[in-house]
Amino acid sequence: MKPHAATTSSGEASGADSAALPGGVARLELPPVFPSVVHMLDAAARSHPDACALVCGEERLSYREYAACVSGFAQELMQAGVGPGTRVALVMANSIDIAIATFAVQSAGAQVVAMNPAYTASELVPIFENADCIAIVHDAESAPVLESVATSFLSHRRFVLGASHRRLDAWRSRPELADSLPLPDPELPSTLQYTGGTTGRSKGVDLDHRAVSTNVSQREALVQTDPGRERVLVITPMFHSYALAMGLYLAAYSRSTLVILQRYKPEAVLQAIEQHRITILLGSPTIYVGLLACEALAGAHLGSLHTSVSGAAALPEETLKRWEAASGCAVCEGYGQSEAGPVLAFNPNRGLRKIASVGRIAPATEVEIVDVQDANKVLGVGEVGEIRARGPQVMRGYRGLPAESAEALRHGWLYTGDIGQFDADGYLYIRGRKKEMAIVGGFNVYPREVEEAIFTHPSIRDVAVIAVPDAYRGEALVAWVVGDGGCDAESLQAYLSGRLVKYKLPARFRFVDELPKTSVGKPDKVAMRTWHAAKNLPAEPL
């Protein structure tokens, strides 16, 4: 087999029944799997050398130029001591440079450690301490905060990028480098993806090349692409697993064009869709809410879109329906987490799509729903419990955290901490986070269900529901609400009383101009709970 060839295998989920899928749903086959994502890029450069690979502003790179730049930087990294068993930090904003750097680090046989360039020094230090990187590649804009990080971390090799420094497209005119792209061992570590840390300290998810590459093929089985014809728009941060899996790697696998937006502005997104004839839009709840509120949407030409994808956080059903009505394009919502490569399930873009579900389980993956209290008790169709999964895309563990790894990985299963249920067709529905489940007067309440009910009110633009301690009921719900002024707490409570049983009704509403969000656009419920604890407010309305 040539080093850049892909192999084919098959598999099926066992979320309902791996022997025979219920409801007559066709079995899924696993598309060809490359040894690594670098092998994908190598194959694309050989088969489509002159095709446009990357677009960012006025910058363009063909696949031959892309591979040449990756090869050139990979060889420079190797000369600096980067190789198997080492890690390289990337502290970079969205750009062509981060695309090249990601593949170059992996090509050199090292592990990519992508970090949020907006992080403060206090947020970066524990990641650097855990990752033990041999080199740092960063934007010039990140230099000030990196200078304030402990001196010991800055003794490593640093590569500073930017208009006044250097660019990684310097090798674009050396096509011979594309023919000698270093290809990594698929068993080597590929990615050290740090979780968002919304429930505590950030943990480094350890993934090998084969796991990452297999997951790209698993996604392809559900969100299918037309080789050489797609134009994918990435808006979300490229240091995050969602943008990597659904943007950077999807484009390379399909030998298609990746259009990169450096920052999110609704008008710029709509303009890019029209200008570049985007076929696949990678969005998040925050992005779709912003696009729907944008005045330019009314005159936007979105006819090139055939698939809108939502990830990073749960997309409210009302937002999904509104975007589909406005764009004429179906939204495929998926589910996963960094620990799972990250894709576990997706609504197919060419098949039965069920709104409010996160779709079918990826091939070669097993998912079960187990009792929240007794993890050995597997639940049946329609029963709600914790989601556990196993498959070739699952992480090796958390770097340097054996206790946390043992808690997450038990008897070959990844325990996700998410709550869900299957329907009779094997489609998965997410009901909330295990740690977010509230017990109100003895009843289990999942905040996501309450959020979905609030979202149906026409005046609501965004909402997040948290649980706070309550002396009488144990816990009570507080809803943080972004509205347009068309409702108040009393009218919203009355509206919900016809949709939710009494114990699920929020005891308090806090109306804000915008919700606090994490770096990847998820509602920051830790910050919300911290705010309430600091204020020491009663759950009941004042």
Side-chain angles (χ1 to χ4, degrees), residues 97-117:
D97 280 344
I98 192 173
I100 294 170
T102 299
F103 276 115
V105 172
Q106 294 168 326
S107 175
Q111 197 171 19
V112 170
V113 187
M115 305 182 192
N116 187 345

Side-chain angles (χ1 to χ4, degrees), residues 264-396:
Y264 168 59
K265 291 183 179 179
E267 295 82 2
V269 173
L270 297 173
Q271 182 181 2
I273 293 172
E274 182 174 351
Q275 177 184 352
H276 299 289
R277 301 291 296 167
I278 297 299
T279 59
I280 300 176
L281 172 64
L282 305 181
S284 67
T286 299
I287 287 170
Y288 288 119
V289 168
L291 292 174
L292 288 166
C294 182
E295 292 183 1
L297 178 62
H301 298 284
L302 309 178
S304 60
L305 289 174
H306 66 66
T307 300
S308 292
V309 178
S310 184
L315 182 67
E317 185 176 343
E318 286 299 311
T319 303
L320 181 150
K321 290 178 178 177
R322 288 179 60 206
W323 174 251
E324 289 190 346
S327 67
C329 174
V331 176
C332 294
E333 189 174 10
Y335 164 70
Q337 53 185 216
S338 297
E339 291 87 341
V343 176
L344 285 172
F346 246 109
N347 260 296
N349 62 346
R350 299 175 187 174
L352 177 62
R353 184 176 59 98
K354 293 192 177 186
I355 293 176
S357 85
V358 291
R360 300 183 59 187
I361 304 305
T365 304
E366 294 178 81
V367 170
E368 292 180 341
I369 306 297
V370 297
D371 186 83
V372 174
Q373 303 300 327
D374 181 3
N376 294 315
K377 182 181 179 181
V378 180
L379 303 180
V381 171
E383 295 186 279
V384 177
E386 183 175 3
I387 300 168
R388 71 178 185 183
R390 62 184 177 190
Q393 73 272 42
V394 170
M395 69 172 180
R396 295 179 174 185

Side-chain angles (χ1 to χ4, degrees), residues 63-419:
Y63 266 103
R64 181 191 288 113
E65 292 170 332
Y66 192 5
C69 293
V70 170
S71 180
F73 191 44
Q75 293 179 39
E76 182 177 340
L77 289 170
M78 288 187 285
Q79 292 169 3
V82 172
T86 66
R87 285 155 299 283
V88 177
L90 305 184
V91 189
M92 307 170 70
N94 282 13
S95 62
I96 282 179
D97 280 344
I98 192 173
I100 294 170
T102 299
F103 276 115
V105 172
Q106 294 168 326
S107 175
Q111 197 171 19
V112 170
V113 187
M115 305 182 192
N116 187 345
Y119 273 172
T120 64
S122 61
E123 291 168 310
L124 287 171
V125 165
I127 297 177
F128 274 118
E129 289 177 338
N130 180 260
D132 188 25
C133 296
I134 193 174
I136 305 170
V137 184
H138 66 87
D139 297 326
E141 291 77 10
S142 300
V145 67
L146 288 172
E147 294 292 352
S148 63
V149 174
T151 304
S152 59
F153 301 129
L154 299 184
S155 63
H156 301 310
R157 183 79 168 87
R158 293 175 65 189
F159 300 84
V160 185
L161 309 178
S164 59
H165 293 266
R166 60 175 295 191
R167 300 297 307 276
L168 295 185
D169 62 359
W171 296 274
R172 64 186 303 164
S173 59
R174 295 188 57 189
E176 74 279 6
L177 289 173
D179 295 327
S180 58
L181 178 63
L183 301 175
D185 182 335
E187 305 306 321
L188 285 173
S190 161
T191 306
L192 188 60
Q193 183 72 52
Y194 280 83
T195 60
T198 57
T199 57
R201 63 174 168 174
S202 188
K203 300 184 288 289
V205 174
D206 203 350
L207 296 165
D208 61 44
H209 283 288
R210 197 178 299 280
V212 173
S213 181
T214 299
N215 198 228
V216 176
S217 295
Q218 290 172 315
R219 182 274 311 151
E220 181 68 22
L222 290 161
V223 182
Q224 298 178 30
T225 58
D226 291 321
R229 297 182 179 180
E230 304 295 357
R231 291 171 296 281
V232 185
L233 182 62
V234 63
I235 310 162
T236 55
M238 292 175 67
F239 63 80
H240 190 254
S241 59
Y242 172 49
L244 287 175
M246 297 302 299
L248 188 69
Y249 300 151
L250 180 152
Y253 186 94
S254 64
R255 307 186 293 280
S256 297
T257 303
L258 183 68
V259 180
I260 302 168
L261 281 192
Q262 293 179 300
R263 58 189 59 84
Y264 168 59
K265 291 183 179 179
E267 295 82 2
V269 173
L270 297 173
Q271 182 181 2
I273 293 172
E274 182 174 351
Q275 177 184 352
H276 299 289
R277 301 291 296 167
I278 297 299
T279 59
I280 300 176
L281 172 64
L282 305 181
S284 67
T286 299
I287 287 170
Y288 288 119
V289 168
L291 292 174
L292 288 166
C294 182
E295 292 183 1
L297 178 62
H301 298 284
L302 309 178
S304 60
L305 289 174
H306 66 66
T307 300
S308 292
V309 178
S310 184
L315 182 67
E317 185 176 343
E318 286 299 311
T319 303
L320 181 150
K321 290 178 178 177
R322 288 179 60 206
W323 174 251
E324 289 190 346
S327 67
C329 174
V331 176
C332 294
E333 189 174 10
Y335 164 70
Q337 53 185 216
S338 297
E339 291 87 341
V343 176
L344 285 172
F346 246 109
N347 260 296
N349 62 346
R350 299 175 187 174
L352 177 62
R353 184 176 59 98
K354 293 192 177 186
I355 293 176
S357 85
V358 291
R360 300 183 59 187
I361 304 305
T365 304
E366 294 178 81
V367 170
E368 292 180 341
I369 306 297
V370 297
D371 186 83
V372 174
Q373 303 300 327
D374 181 3
N376 294 315
K377 182 181 179 181
V378 180
L379 303 180
V381 171
E383 295 186 279
V384 177
E386 183 175 3
I387 300 168
R388 71 178 185 183
R390 62 184 177 190
Q393 73 272 42
V394 170
M395 69 172 180
R396 295 179 174 185
Y398 297 117
R399 176 175 168 78
L401 299 173
E404 287 86 343
S405 297
E407 175 63 22
L409 298 170
R410 286 173 269 158
H411 308 294
W413 291 94
L414 168 66
Y415 285 78
T416 66
D418 291 317
I419 302 297

